Amino acid sequence: MKAAYFDTTGAPDVIRFGDVPTPDPRAGELRVKVLAAGINPIDTYIRSGAAPMPLPRPAITGTDFAGVVDAVGPGGKFRVGDRVWGSNQGLLGRHGTCAEFVCVEEKWAYPTPASVTDEQAAAAALVGITAHLGLFHRAKLTHGETVFVNGGTGGVGSMVVQMAKAVGAKVICTVGSEEKAALARELGADLAINYKTDDISTRVKEFTGGTGVQVWYETLPPADFDETVEMMATRGRIIVMAGRAARPVFPNGPFYVKGLSLMGFAMFNMTAEEQRVGADEMNRWFEAGKLVALIGARFPLMQTVQAHQLQEDNTIRKAGTLTGKIVITPTE
């Protein structure tokens, strides 16, 4: 089969496109003919060596997938021909999804609703489950609360906006342009703040009547929590899930006087059962028309190097040239 793989970590150009053995499913696994795969920041961190993990050799890149079951190992619950989607591949010793086929443990696969395209399912996978874990497993978001998220049109941020609205929360997000502000409002944001031209703290205080936000979902590496804590409501919850090397200044006094909570998580450390809760709810929201994945770029499998470069340019170098997710199409 054709795949995008690497034998050693490094810059995007360590990725090769070529033939590798087609895998056979073992007990508890299914083999998926990949019709769409997704590229995420974690894929670039693994490939570069910034996130060291056990990897097969060669290591196929890609975390997210959507496609059709092609073969099933002994005892499987899925059947050949079933449409499925999922994430958690390409890490912790698992082969990735930027290939014509991938073998996946059944616990990481979810049925794809008939109304959802493979591109949508793959693009929503990691970012959607991540958003759900932060909002509901960690922060316990409830109806009527106010959520703040940086990057309302980014991969995770756009999912946070839509999921928070789906449960009746109010949403404030940041954006970098008027075009992105309009898009964020289309997704459901009640307030989209242009961080380049507006004072975020002032706008948040105006919107909340000075009470602050109950849930702060931080998608960026935090540098200083002073402004965050200032904008929080009493007993608010702050979620962090980015910034491996970040060592932010922390305002201890204001934090504990307000009775705040700070919680972090990495999606791939969460159990399959914890992640499935989010995947199941995502399927319900997909079918109800309450969830859509923003796709900012598409590449054929042979151009996975360029896809990694685009992701790095935006994640690390803040190029601002990508809105939403990158999708790889192995069949093109």
Side-chain angles (χ1 to χ4, degrees):
M1 69 175 183
K2 299 294 185 184
Y5 63 91
F6 55 96
D7 293 300
T8 184
T9 56
D13 61 9
V14 302
I15 295 174
R16 300 284 182 262
F17 171 71
D19 291 303
V20 299
T22 301
D24 291 317
R26 296 172 294 187
E29 291 185 340
L30 55 147
R31 185 171 68 198
V32 179
K33 179 177 176 59
V34 181
L35 299 178
I39 296 296
N40 297 280
I42 187 63
D43 301 316
T44 68
Y45 303 153
I46 293 169
R47 185 222 69 235
S48 70
M53 289 190 184
L55 295 171
R57 290 291 185 266
I60 298 171
T61 189
T63 314
D64 301 331
F65 68 91
V68 178
V69 176
D70 167 77
V72 180
K77 66 178 181 180
F78 286 99
R79 296 290 178 263
V80 172
D82 287 348
R83 295 179 64 225
V84 293
W85 66 276
S87 188
N88 285 275
Q89 308 309 303
L91 44 77
L92 299 175
R94 304 175 196 127
H95 276 296
T97 60
C98 289
E100 292 180 307
F101 299 93
V102 62
C103 282
V104 178
E105 292 179 76
E106 286 202 338
K107 65 183 181 181
W108 301 120
Y110 320 112
T112 305
S115 60
V116 178
T117 66
D118 295 306
E119 278 197 353
Q120 275 288 303
L126 181 144
V127 292
I129 295 171
T130 298
H132 196 279
L133 285 167
L135 285 175
F136 305 109
H137 183 275
R138 304 298 285 157
K140 310 296 185 189
L141 176 69
T142 60
H143 177 91
E145 292 190 307
T146 300
V147 177
F148 176 97
V149 60
N150 271 315
T153 60
V156 174
S158 62
M159 290 285 149
V160 169
V161 170
Q162 295 175 84
M163 290 180 181
K165 291 304 294 183
V167 299
K170 291 173 281 189
V171 183
I172 305 170
C173 69
T174 60
V175 293
S177 68
E178 288 309 309
E179 292 78 14
K180 289 184 177 181
L183 177 56
R185 288 190 289 267
E186 286 180 21
L187 294 175
D190 298 283
L191 175 64
I193 304 172
N194 189 327
Y195 65 87
K196 295 179 180 179
T197 59
D198 296 340
D199 183 270
I200 297 173
S201 179
T202 298
R203 296 295 305 280
V204 168
K205 288 178 180 177
E206 290 173 350
F207 183 83
T208 64
T211 61
V213 302
Q214 282 77 37
V215 174
W216 183 288
Y217 200 120
E218 186 53 83
T219 62
L220 304 175
D224 192 327
F225 279 114
D226 274 319
E227 284 195 352
T228 300
V229 169
E230 181 186 347
M231 287 183 269
M232 296 300 297
T234 300
R235 299 191 180 185
R237 292 90 74 199
I238 302 168
I239 302 297
V240 291
M241 39 69 68
R244 288 170 172 267
R247 296 293 185 273
V249 175
F250 190 78
N252 185 68
F255 180 86
Y256 80 75
V257 169
K258 278 190 171 183
L260 304 181
S261 299
L262 176 64
M263 294 170 278
F265 74 99
M267 173 187 160
F268 53 80
N269 286 335
M270 309 299 280
T271 69
E273 292 76 15
E274 290 167 336
Q275 296 195 38
R276 186 171 292 276
V277 172
D280 288 345
E281 190 145 45
M282 286 170 64
N283 273 347
R284 290 191 288 272
W285 286 333
F286 270 137
E287 292 182 303
K290 295 182 178 181
L291 194 66
V292 62
L294 300 180
I295 299 174
R298 295 173 175 84
F299 292 90
L301 184 58
M302 66 178 61
Q303 293 182 3
T304 303
V305 171
Q306 291 92 322
H308 268 243
Q309 188 64 64
L310 178 62
Q311 185 68 71
E312 266 192 10
D313 287 344
N314 283 270
T315 304
I316 298 174
R317 288 173 280 280
K318 309 301 179 186
T321 56
L322 178 67
T323 298
K325 288 292 299 298
I326 299 172
V327 169
I328 300 290
T329 50
T331 55
E332 289 187 4

